[in-house]
Amino acid sequence: MRGFTSTKTSIRSRILLTSLSILLIASLIISGAVFWNYDNLTKEALQTRVRIESEIISQNLATSILFDDVNTALEILSTYKADNAILYVKLEREDGSTFAEYKRITFKPDDTNVFNFREEVVFEGKNIGYLNIIVSKSELHDQNLALLIFLGVILCIVTLVSFALSSPIIKSVLLPLLRLHEISQKIAKTRDYSLRVAVESADEVGRLSNMFNQMVEQIEHRDDMLEKQVGQRTHELEKLAEEFRFRAFHDSLTGLANRALLNERFSLSMQHAKRHRNHFACLLLDLDDFKTINDTKGHEFGDELLIEVSKRLCTTIREEDLVCRLGGDEFVIILNDINEIEDINMIARKILAQLNREFTIKGDSIRTAASIGCAVYPDHGENISTIKRHADVAMYRAKDAGKNQFCLFSQGMQEDVKHRLLIQSGLRPALDGNQFEVYFQPKVNPLEGTVVGCEALVRWNHPKEGFLTPDKFIPFAEEVGLVNEIDYFVIRDCCATMSEWTKIFRQPIPIAFNLSGRHFHDYKIVEVLEKAILDFNMDPSMLEAEITEAVLIEDPDKAQKIVHAVKSLGLGISLDDFGTGYSSLNYLRTLPIDTVKLDRSFIMNIDKNAQDKRLTRGIVSLAKGLNLKLIAEGVENESQLTTLLNLGCQHMQGYYFLRPSQKGDFVQWYLRYHSLPRALAEKK
Ligand code: C2E
Ligand code: CA
Ligand code: CA
């Protein structure tokens, strides 16, 4: 933290350390003074002692010098023996010649730990000689050492006593602060904001404690509110996610399973059939003349009829089977554990009989019929798309044969297979021969009358089959691994178009392209995008990749990394067909998504269906919360548009504005659409 000298030592230890240091320094100074004084005193005492001794002795020595009695002098000098400090004594005559000497055995002439002393020998006021004495200082050293030890012991005792006394004193002074610290630590650790510190005094610490408590109270209050809000929001989100998941796997009109659940159950049935080495049947059922009923009796009547048909279908099949509505009047029925073809025949007949019985809808009686096609796994195909296609072929056979019939697929009905081969073999030449064409559909903000971008949608001008929309060839291109190349073509076309349009519109218009799940196995797509951006000198933020949740199915970790790599090139990422898969709201957080495209199936009945309205409102608010752009797909009429605007959805795409169009048509429309609000504003 800035302006804060970080130290881990507690205040208590610091105060203790400071006071002890001060005490120690003071004690050292005092000890030093005492020692110095003592040293002087002992030195003086020694000198005085030697002087007094020498004064007495020099009086006796005067007679020895006078009578030239060396022996007596030596005897007198030997009295110095009694004083250990005297090492050497020399008695000199007045002229400086040596008269007598005393030398202690321990005396060494080179000893430096000594001082010299000189005393005159006087007789009747006249100087008759000198007494030169060498005095040892060891006595002083011993005394000083003893004093030092004493002072050292005293210092230790003082330090220990001070420590023992100051520690609890400091603690008692700091206690309120320490408690404050302890409580704040506890709060930080446990996030228990109900904790308070006791206020025991009115001094600064007491005031600080009071303020601390007030602060914690405020945080507690805010935390409570936040927790309640988060709880409520989480509950709402969970409910929304659950509804989305149910909605994603069920048809909103009949409550039957939908295409997504069918795909899932289809895989399970396949595994089950493989394990038990038996078969399952896929029935495709289409009501005969439903369009006429809808046109003559109205949509509501048609919807009621579909609900009743669903109920009858459910009561006819076994619990382990599945009825699913694909949309419109198309149903798929999965019959598990089939051993005999006759079993399928019997159930199909039962279904037809049930549907032929009279329905009473809104007080009206009506009869209906259906055409049923059937393909069996694994005899008629080993994957869902083949089985469904073959069931479809059989169903059209049933319709051709006069409706209200059941028809089982047989290898003879091979037009479908031929078609597939025709498409698959034509893909490569189409790529080389420029047969693909990119159409564009605008994304608009109808309130502001602005075009916020457009989506590139590929078309195939097939030399034999004519104009083909992607659903007729993208699945086959995915099967043979050519979809990637189609997408690369679309990406480069988008870049070229962007440069062209920037000149026409005088501003770039964001273009989105679709990426098949096949791209998310390796990083090639990242390289291709990088190269395109460089080649066309593009602003990458004007490009957007539309992906679906399906890209994450096989290897979610890798796919996520590739999505992140695409994003880091500077492109926008759109989550396409939202609401049709697992609708994991989690993806909205984990993937670097900028835009969510709400699937067309939500918009279709949004003006009538309360559930779709509720879910759309939920996703609008979620997108706002996560700062994501939301686009409603498939807006076809004014009623859907108004409902969406009322729900707070601002960006839309759909036939109501413009169908996917060729470049030239798109430019014409764009110029018209853009001049419209301006013209209106000018009129006003
Ligand atoms: P998508 O990405 O969900 O594209 C939107 C589809 O909805 C387009 O179908 C568009 O024509 C259609 N649509 C738009 N507005 C409306 C409307 O108001 N009503 C109705 N009924 N439909 C509307 P399209 O062009 O047939 O494309 C179908 C799918 O094929 C796309 O779905 C996308 O998943 C895929 N696709 C299209 N172009 C490409 C491509 O270049 N590469 C890849 N990998 N897939 C593509
Ligand atoms: Ca798309
Ligand atoms: Ca879509």
Side-chain angles (χ1 to χ4, degrees):
M1 242 182 274
R2 237 186 288 162
F4 175 78
T5 348
S6 89
T7 168
K8 285 195 170 173
T9 337
S10 67
I11 296 185
R12 203 173 127 203
S13 346
R14 272 187 282 155
I15 293 181
L16 200 64
L17 206 73
T18 316
S19 48
L20 282 184
S21 308
I22 293 171
L23 187 79
L24 207 69
I25 292 166
S27 306
L28 282 173
I29 292 171
I30 293 169
S31 304
V34 167
F35 181 77
W36 180 77
N37 195 28
Y38 182 78
D39 186 49
N40 282 342
L41 284 176
T42 46
K43 219 183 268 171
E44 240 169 64
L46 181 62
Q47 279 169 349
T48 313
R49 193 178 85 212
V50 174
R51 194 183 322 117
I52 292 170
E53 280 171 4
S54 306
E55 268 171 14
I56 297 166
I57 285 173
S58 72
Q59 281 166 16
N60 297 331
L61 286 172
T63 42
S64 311
I65 295 175
L66 277 180
F67 293 105
D68 203 20
D69 184 356
V70 175
N71 284 338
T72 312
L74 284 172
E75 209 171 297
I76 294 169
L77 285 180
S78 70
T79 55
Y80 275 116
K81 245 189 212 165
D83 192 339
N84 285 336
I86 312 293
L87 295 177
Y88 175 78
V89 187
K90 184 165 89 176
L91 184 62
E92 285 173 2
R93 293 190 190 87
E94 203 208 343
D95 59 2
S97 59
T98 304
F99 181 76
E101 269 181 336
Y102 161 75
K103 205 188 279 175
R104 192 176 285 278
I105 344 162
T106 52
F107 173 67
K108 287 184 198 108
D110 55 353
D111 196 349
T112 52
N113 190 23
V114 294
F115 68 85
N116 292 311
F117 186 84
R118 191 172 165 89
E119 175 77 27
E120 286 180 345
V121 181
V122 179
F123 184 75
E124 289 183 349
K126 198 176 155 226
N127 183 9
I128 56 165
Y130 296 97
L131 201 56
N132 289 314
I133 305 171
I134 295 175
V135 186
S136 161
K137 281 199 238 168
S138 353
E139 178 185 309
L140 294 180
H141 281 191
D142 290 348
Q143 283 166 352
N144 285 351
L145 187 69
L147 179 70
L148 269 182
I149 292 171
F150 175 73
L151 284 176
V153 171
I154 293 287
L155 210 66
C156 287
I157 292 172
V158 167
T159 312
L160 281 176
V161 170
S162 317
F163 179 77
L165 289 179
S166 56
S167 183
I169 292 172
I170 292 169
K171 197 173 166 183
S172 76
V173 174
L174 283 180
L175 201 65
L177 271 181
L178 292 176
R179 255 191 238 137
L180 196 62
H181 174 243
E182 192 187 324
I183 294 280
S184 61
Q185 251 188 345
K186 218 185 227 174
I187 291 177
K189 210 185 256 175
T190 59
R191 296 192 173 276
D192 178 3
Y193 294 110
S194 64
L195 294 172
R196 296 289 180 273
V197 67
V199 182
E200 284 163 354
S201 61
D203 57 10
E204 289 91 333
V205 178
R207 286 204 294 276
L208 180 67
S209 306
N210 244 330
M211 271 151 61
F212 176 84
N213 284 344
Q214 282 171 15
M215 220 165 67
V216 176
E217 200 169 313
Q218 277 180 10
I219 297 176
E220 185 186 20
H221 182 62
R222 248 180 253 167
D223 199 54
D224 274 356
M225 299 245 299
L226 208 68
E227 207 169 289
K228 263 187 220 142
Q229 275 176 5
V230 169
Q232 205 179 334
R233 192 89 185 102
T234 312
H235 180 69
E236 280 169 18
L237 270 181
E238 275 167 6
K239 238 179 84 187
L240 189 64
E242 213 171 280
E243 278 197 57
F244 260 109
R245 232 163 279 141
F246 184 84
R247 168 68 177 72
F249 288 108
H250 295 86
D251 169 47
S252 57
L253 178 69
T254 60
L256 289 180
N258 67 3
R259 200 181 291 268
L261 188 54
L262 171 70
N263 290 350
E264 198 151 285
R265 292 287 291 272
F266 202 95
S267 307
L268 290 179
S269 293
M270 235 152 68
Q271 285 166 17
H272 180 84
K274 264 187 204 153
R275 223 181 6 256
H276 295 89
R277 290 167 196 262
N278 63 12
H279 303 76
F280 73 86
C282 171
L283 270 56
L284 190 73
L285 182 151
D286 191 280
L287 290 185
D288 296 334
D289 303 320
F290 181 71
K291 192 172 175 306
T292 321
I293 297 172
N294 238 354
D295 289 348
T296 53
K297 303 257 181 195
H299 281 279
E300 269 181 44
F301 189 94
D303 285 352
E304 288 286 322
L305 176 62
L306 288 174
I307 294 169
E308 291 307 314
V309 166
S310 308
K311 283 183 190 158
R312 288 203 190 166
L313 290 177
C314 287
T315 52
T316 318
I317 58 156
R318 297 165 303 174
E319 216 166 79
E320 62 265 35
D321 300 333
L322 176 80
V323 184
C324 145
R325 180 171 169 235
L326 289 186
D329 56 344
E330 250 190 9
F331 296 85
V332 168
I333 299 164
I334 299 285
L335 304 173
N336 288 306
D337 293 320
I338 297 292
N339 294 318
E340 305 282 338
I341 294 294
E342 190 39 45
D343 294 348
I344 309 173
N345 271 326
M346 191 193 71
I347 297 171
R349 276 200 303 276
K350 249 199 213 165
I351 292 172
L352 288 176
Q354 280 292 338
L355 297 186
N356 288 338
R357 268 176 46 225
E358 204 169 64
F359 287 91
T360 311
I361 310 278
K362 294 183 181 273
D364 257 10
S365 300
I366 188 163
R367 278 179 195 279
T368 183
S371 301
I372 305 175
C374 171
V376 176
Y377 173 90
D379 307 17
H380 302 144
E382 300 217 334
N383 59 51
I384 182 159
S385 59
T386 317
I387 292 268
K388 249 163 54 188
R389 232 179 11 255
H390 288 168
D392 199 44
V393 169
M395 197 267 292
Y396 276 104
R397 274 295 162 95
K399 279 213 190 289
D400 289 347
K403 300 184 179 173
N404 200 19
Q405 303 214 7
F406 164 72
C407 177
L408 182 69
F409 176 78
S410 72
Q411 294 301 340
M413 306 171 183
Q414 277 301 17
E415 296 92 348
D416 172 67
V417 179
K418 270 189 231 143
H419 170 79
R420 171 209 189 90
L421 284 176
L422 183 75
I423 297 292
Q424 283 185 343
S425 61
L427 281 168
R428 174 50 67 197
L431 274 165
D432 299 337
N434 246 343
Q435 292 170 14
F436 290 112
E437 185 179 355
V438 182
Y439 275 47
F440 294 89
Q441 189 181 31
K443 299 172 178 179
V444 303
N445 179 335
L447 267 188
E448 291 178 1
T450 48
V451 180
V452 293
C454 64
E455 178 175 2
L457 295 155
V458 73
R459 304 293 183 250
W460 184 359
N461 296 308
H462 195 282
K464 282 196 195 123
E465 301 280 307
F467 181 79
L468 295 181
T469 48
D471 49 310
K472 300 281 186 319
F473 60 90
I474 291 280
F476 303 117
E478 285 190 328
E479 266 176 38
V480 293
L482 280 175
V483 71
N484 291 13
E485 296 206 28
I486 298 179
D487 286 350
Y488 301 155
F489 161 78
V490 174
I491 288 168
R492 293 187 76 82
D493 193 280
C494 287
C495 294
T497 308
M498 172 98 65
S499 313
E500 219 175 279
W501 285 356
T502 310
K503 284 180 208 138
I504 301 176
F505 303 138
R506 303 227 182 89
Q507 62 183 35
I509 161 166
I511 303 184
F513 53 86
N514 292 280
L515 283 185
S516 152
R518 302 273 151 165
H519 292 286
F520 295 86
H521 301 296
D522 58 48
Y523 286 84
K524 174 96 192 284
I525 182 65
V526 185
E527 285 165 27
V528 168
L529 283 167
E530 208 167 7
K531 186 165 183 315
I533 291 165
L534 272 177
D535 289 352
F536 290 89
N537 195 19
M538 294 275 307
D539 169 2
S541 68
M542 288 290 124
L543 282 179
E544 195 163 46
E546 295 199 358
I547 56 170
T548 64
E549 283 174 47
V551 305
L552 296 168
I553 284 175
E554 268 177 40
D555 184 351
D557 284 349
K558 184 147 194 199
Q560 282 220 22
K561 279 187 193 140
I562 298 171
V563 177
H564 276 274
V566 171
K567 171 81 187 164
S568 63
L569 291 177
L571 275 80
I573 305 282
S574 266
L575 190 63
D576 209 351
D577 303 344
F578 186 81
T580 54
Y582 283 88
S583 306
S584 162
L585 299 177
N586 223 10
Y587 293 148
L588 299 180
R589 276 195 291 248
T590 53
L591 283 175
I593 293 166
D594 305 282
T595 309
V596 177
K597 297 189 76 179
L598 190 57
D599 189 66
R600 190 159 60 88
S601 60
F602 284 86
I603 313 305
M604 231 149 40
N605 298 315
I606 189 130
D607 41 349
K608 303 178 207 102
N609 187 312
Q611 191 198 26
D612 285 355
K613 231 183 258 185
R614 201 174 50 250
L615 285 171
T616 303
R617 189 178 289 121
I619 189 73
V620 166
S621 114
L622 182 67
K624 231 177 236 159
L626 293 172
N627 213 7
L628 299 167
K629 205 160 91 185
L630 182 77
I631 294 186
E633 290 189 304
V635 178
E636 290 183 350
N637 56 49
E638 186 128 18
S639 164
Q640 292 166 341
L641 179 136
T642 322
T643 315
L644 282 165
L645 284 178
N646 286 339
L647 291 173
C649 179
Q650 293 169 345
H651 297 135
M652 303 173 198
Q653 180 181 350
Y655 292 172
Y656 182 68
F657 308 102
L658 184 69
R659 283 175 179 260
S661 306
Q662 282 176 307
K663 276 180 213 173
D665 295 340
F666 184 91
V667 172
Q668 294 301 321
W669 173 88
Y670 182 94
L671 295 173
R672 256 202 331 275
Y673 192 81
H674 254 242
S675 60
L676 208 66
R678 233 179 294 141
L680 285 175
E682 275 161 18
K683 247 189 204 175
K684 276 181 196 169

mmCIF file with all atom_site columns, all heavy atoms in Angstrom, residues 455 546 576-577 597 599 633, ligand 3:
data_model
loop_
_atom_site.group_PDB
_atom_site.id
_atom_site.type_symbol
_atom_site.label_atom_id
_atom_site.label_alt_id
_atom_site.label_comp_id
_atom_site.label_asym_id
_atom_site.label_entity_id
_atom_site.label_seq_id
_atom_site.pdbx_PDB_ins_code
_atom_site.Cartn_x
_atom_site.Cartn_y
_atom_site.Cartn_z
_atom_site.occupancy
_atom_site.B_iso_or_equiv
_atom_site.pdbx_formal_charge
_atom_site.auth_seq_id
_atom_site.auth_comp_id
_atom_site.auth_asym_id
_atom_site.auth_atom_id
_atom_site.pdbx_PDB_model_num
ATOM   1  N  N   . GLU A 1 455 ? -25.683 -9.929  -41.539 1.00 0.00 ? 455 GLU A N   1
ATOM   2  C  CA  . GLU A 1 455 ? -25.188 -11.308 -41.439 1.00 0.00 ? 455 GLU A CA  1
ATOM   3  C  C   . GLU A 1 455 ? -24.974 -11.854 -42.843 1.00 0.00 ? 455 GLU A C   1
ATOM   4  O  O   . GLU A 1 455 ? -25.827 -11.681 -43.719 1.00 0.00 ? 455 GLU A O   1
ATOM   5  C  CB  . GLU A 1 455 ? -26.186 -12.184 -40.679 1.00 0.00 ? 455 GLU A CB  1
ATOM   6  C  CG  . GLU A 1 455 ? -25.725 -13.633 -40.601 1.00 0.00 ? 455 GLU A CG  1
ATOM   7  C  CD  . GLU A 1 455 ? -26.621 -14.528 -39.742 1.00 0.00 ? 455 GLU A CD  1
ATOM   8  O  OE1 . GLU A 1 455 ? -27.647 -14.031 -39.227 1.00 0.00 ? 455 GLU A OE1 1
ATOM   9  O  OE2 . GLU A 1 455 ? -26.296 -15.719 -39.610 1.00 0.00 ? 455 GLU A OE2 1
ATOM   10 N  N   . GLU A 1 546 ? -20.310 -15.767 -35.782 1.00 0.00 ? 546 GLU A N   1
ATOM   11 C  CA  . GLU A 1 546 ? -21.494 -16.312 -35.111 1.00 0.00 ? 546 GLU A CA  1
ATOM   12 C  C   . GLU A 1 546 ? -21.259 -17.796 -34.853 1.00 0.00 ? 546 GLU A C   1
ATOM   13 O  O   . GLU A 1 546 ? -20.991 -18.562 -35.784 1.00 0.00 ? 546 GLU A O   1
ATOM   14 C  CB  . GLU A 1 546 ? -22.738 -16.107 -35.983 1.00 0.00 ? 546 GLU A CB  1
ATOM   15 C  CG  . GLU A 1 546 ? -23.067 -14.639 -36.165 1.00 0.00 ? 546 GLU A CG  1
ATOM   16 C  CD  . GLU A 1 546 ? -24.510 -14.396 -36.626 1.00 0.00 ? 546 GLU A CD  1
ATOM   17 O  OE1 . GLU A 1 546 ? -25.251 -15.377 -36.832 1.00 0.00 ? 546 GLU A OE1 1
ATOM   18 O  OE2 . GLU A 1 546 ? -24.869 -13.220 -36.776 1.00 0.00 ? 546 GLU A OE2 1
ATOM   19 N  N   . ASP A 1 576 ? -25.108 -17.762 -31.440 1.00 0.00 ? 576 ASP A N   1
ATOM   20 C  CA  . ASP A 1 576 ? -26.232 -17.898 -32.366 1.00 0.00 ? 576 ASP A CA  1
ATOM   21 C  C   . ASP A 1 576 ? -27.284 -18.867 -31.816 1.00 0.00 ? 576 ASP A C   1
ATOM   22 O  O   . ASP A 1 576 ? -26.980 -19.699 -30.966 1.00 0.00 ? 576 ASP A O   1
ATOM   23 C  CB  . ASP A 1 576 ? -25.670 -18.456 -33.696 1.00 0.00 ? 576 ASP A CB  1
ATOM   24 C  CG  . ASP A 1 576 ? -26.502 -18.008 -34.887 1.00 0.00 ? 576 ASP A CG  1
ATOM   25 O  OD1 . ASP A 1 576 ? -27.577 -17.425 -34.666 1.00 0.00 ? 576 ASP A OD1 1
ATOM   26 O  OD2 . ASP A 1 576 ? -26.067 -18.244 -36.022 1.00 0.00 ? 576 ASP A OD2 1
ATOM   27 N  N   . ASP A 1 577 ? -28.488 -18.760 -32.325 1.00 0.00 ? 577 ASP A N   1
ATOM   28 C  CA  . ASP A 1 577 ? -29.580 -19.697 -32.003 1.00 0.00 ? 577 ASP A CA  1
ATOM   29 C  C   . ASP A 1 577 ? -29.760 -19.876 -30.502 1.00 0.00 ? 577 ASP A C   1
ATOM   30 O  O   . ASP A 1 577 ? -30.037 -20.986 -30.034 1.00 0.00 ? 577 ASP A O   1
ATOM   31 C  CB  . ASP A 1 577 ? -29.306 -21.075 -32.636 1.00 0.00 ? 577 ASP A CB  1
ATOM   32 C  CG  . ASP A 1 577 ? -29.122 -20.983 -34.138 1.00 0.00 ? 577 ASP A CG  1
ATOM   33 O  OD1 . ASP A 1 577 ? -29.501 -19.952 -34.709 1.00 0.00 ? 577 ASP A OD1 1
ATOM   34 O  OD2 . ASP A 1 577 ? -28.597 -21.945 -34.739 1.00 0.00 ? 577 ASP A OD2 1
ATOM   35 N  N   . LYS A 1 597 ? -27.840 -14.007 -29.924 1.00 0.00 ? 597 LYS A N   1
ATOM   36 C  CA  . LYS A 1 597 ? -28.916 -13.967 -30.913 1.00 0.00 ? 597 LYS A CA  1
ATOM   37 C  C   . LYS A 1 597 ? -30.014 -14.914 -30.462 1.00 0.00 ? 597 LYS A C   1
ATOM   38 O  O   . LYS A 1 597 ? -29.825 -16.139 -30.430 1.00 0.00 ? 597 LYS A O   1
ATOM   39 C  CB  . LYS A 1 597 ? -28.366 -14.370 -32.283 1.00 0.00 ? 597 LYS A CB  1
ATOM   40 C  CG  . LYS A 1 597 ? -27.311 -13.397 -32.788 1.00 0.00 ? 597 LYS A CG  1
ATOM   41 C  CD  . LYS A 1 597 ? -26.934 -13.672 -34.212 1.00 0.00 ? 597 LYS A CD  1
ATOM   42 C  CE  . LYS A 1 597 ? -27.998 -13.179 -35.170 1.00 0.00 ? 597 LYS A CE  1
ATOM   43 N  NZ  . LYS A 1 597 ? -27.610 -13.422 -36.569 1.00 0.00 ? 597 LYS A NZ  1
ATOM   44 N  N   . ASP A 1 599 ? -33.032 -17.162 -30.648 1.00 0.00 ? 599 ASP A N   1
ATOM   45 C  CA  . ASP A 1 599 ? -33.458 -17.966 -31.787 1.00 0.00 ? 599 ASP A CA  1
ATOM   46 C  C   . ASP A 1 599 ? -34.860 -17.576 -32.290 1.00 0.00 ? 599 ASP A C   1
ATOM   47 O  O   . ASP A 1 599 ? -35.719 -17.130 -31.532 1.00 0.00 ? 599 ASP A O   1
ATOM   48 C  CB  . ASP A 1 599 ? -33.443 -19.442 -31.401 1.00 0.00 ? 599 ASP A CB  1
ATOM   49 C  CG  . ASP A 1 599 ? -33.650 -20.314 -32.602 1.00 0.00 ? 599 ASP A CG  1
ATOM   50 O  OD1 . ASP A 1 599 ? -32.769 -20.310 -33.473 1.00 0.00 ? 599 ASP A OD1 1
ATOM   51 O  OD2 . ASP A 1 599 ? -34.719 -20.956 -32.693 1.00 0.00 ? 599 ASP A OD2 1
ATOM   52 N  N   . GLU A 1 633 ? -33.885 -12.850 -33.653 1.00 0.00 ? 633 GLU A N   1
ATOM   53 C  CA  . GLU A 1 633 ? -33.816 -13.350 -35.031 1.00 0.00 ? 633 GLU A CA  1
ATOM   54 C  C   . GLU A 1 633 ? -35.221 -13.659 -35.544 1.00 0.00 ? 633 GLU A C   1
ATOM   55 O  O   . GLU A 1 633 ? -36.110 -14.017 -34.767 1.00 0.00 ? 633 GLU A O   1
ATOM   56 C  CB  . GLU A 1 633 ? -33.042 -14.672 -35.068 1.00 0.00 ? 633 GLU A CB  1
ATOM   57 C  CG  . GLU A 1 633 ? -31.575 -14.556 -34.795 1.00 0.00 ? 633 GLU A CG  1
ATOM   58 C  CD  . GLU A 1 633 ? -30.869 -15.872 -35.072 1.00 0.00 ? 633 GLU A CD  1
ATOM   59 O  OE1 . GLU A 1 633 ? -31.253 -16.905 -34.480 1.00 0.00 ? 633 GLU A OE1 1
ATOM   60 O  OE2 . GLU A 1 633 ? -29.940 -15.875 -35.886 1.00 0.00 ? 633 GLU A OE2 1
HETATM 61 CA CA  . CA  B 2 .   ? -29.575 -18.099 -35.753 1.00 0.00 ? 3   CA  B CA  1
#
